[in-house]
Amino acid sequence: MDTHDPEEYLPVESAGNVAGIPPRTLRSWITAGKLPATEGPRGKLVRLGDVLAIAEATGRRPAHDRQPVGNAGMPAGFAGEAAGDVADVGAVAVSPTARAQLEAIRDEWLRPLTDRVEALARENGRLQAERDALRAELDRVRAEHEAAVARSDAPGAMETPATGQGARGALRWLWARLIGQE
């Protein structure tokens, strides 16, 4: 279903896309005088009706379900807003050889890469869960340690006969004894 007015002026590339004719061919027809064209802001513009007439006369089948790329022929203020600004990728005719090559690329390159990305995402999730569990364990151990330090610093807690001090004093005494500075 072609939604374009035959009186609409399009860039050579877009008109070729709609008519199913390579832009290079359209340019050679313009040079030879077979196709009238006007100068546009970014190159030659051709009337869609002229391109479709030449396509029909030369036996080329217009691709009616393709849309022009770009915003040529659009009323002022609509640039980038119309759905016709994007080419219908599904409408592109692909030869069986090219399709086989694309399928091979998909199967031999893309599928292994996507499988690897999925495996890495699962591994990342597992590692994040493990990290979170270890952080929770670390917080629990820190809380226990702080509670033990608070209990050991209480007056009279864990006094050693040698120092008469708490746990920290006992550790200092033990360290000094180990390094021989008693």
Side-chain angles (χ1 to χ4, degrees), residues 7 14 20 25 33-34 59 67 71 108 123 134 152:
E7 299 300 313
S14 297
T25 302
K34 295 179 184 178
Q67 300 293 321
N71 57 12
E108 294 174 21
E123 176 71 7
L134 289 172
S152 69

Side-chain angles (χ1 to χ4, degrees), residues 19 31 34 49 59 64 66 73 76 83 92 116 119 131 133 159 162:
T31 303
K34 295 179 184 178
H64 293 292
R66 295 184 193 168
V92 174
R116 180 69 177 138
R131 178 203 60 206
E159 288 186 4

Side-chain angles (χ1 to χ4, degrees), residues 138-154:
L138 178 63
D139 291 343
R140 186 189 64 76
V141 168
R142 280 185 178 154
E144 285 180 12
H145 173 71
E146 288 173 5
V149 167
R151 282 192 309 269
S152 69
D153 285 344

Side-chain angles (χ1 to χ4, degrees), residues 6 10 20 24 28-29 35 38 40 44 48 50 86 110 123 126 130 139 150 166 171-172:
L10 299 173
R24 187 174 188 171
S28 69
W29 290 347
L35 179 64
T38 61
K44 299 280 185 189
L48 182 59
D50 293 338
V86 179
L110 295 178
E123 176 71 7
R126 184 191 64 76
E130 188 177 316
D139 291 343
L171 288 174
R172 284 188 195 114

Side-chain angles (χ1 to χ4, degrees), residues 25-88:
T25 302
L26 292 179
R27 286 190 190 94
S28 69
W29 290 347
I30 291 168
T31 303
K34 295 179 184 178
L35 179 64
T38 61
E39 196 62 40
R42 295 186 184 163
K44 299 280 185 189
L45 297 176
V46 292
R47 199 169 63 85
L48 182 59
D50 293 338
V51 174
L52 293 174
I54 291 178
E56 190 174 314
T58 59
R60 297 184 189 251
R61 198 176 98 206
H64 293 292
D65 52 350
R66 295 184 193 168
Q67 300 293 321
V69 178
N71 57 12
M74 299 296 292
F78 288 130
E81 293 179 8
D85 284 354
V86 179
D88 183 3

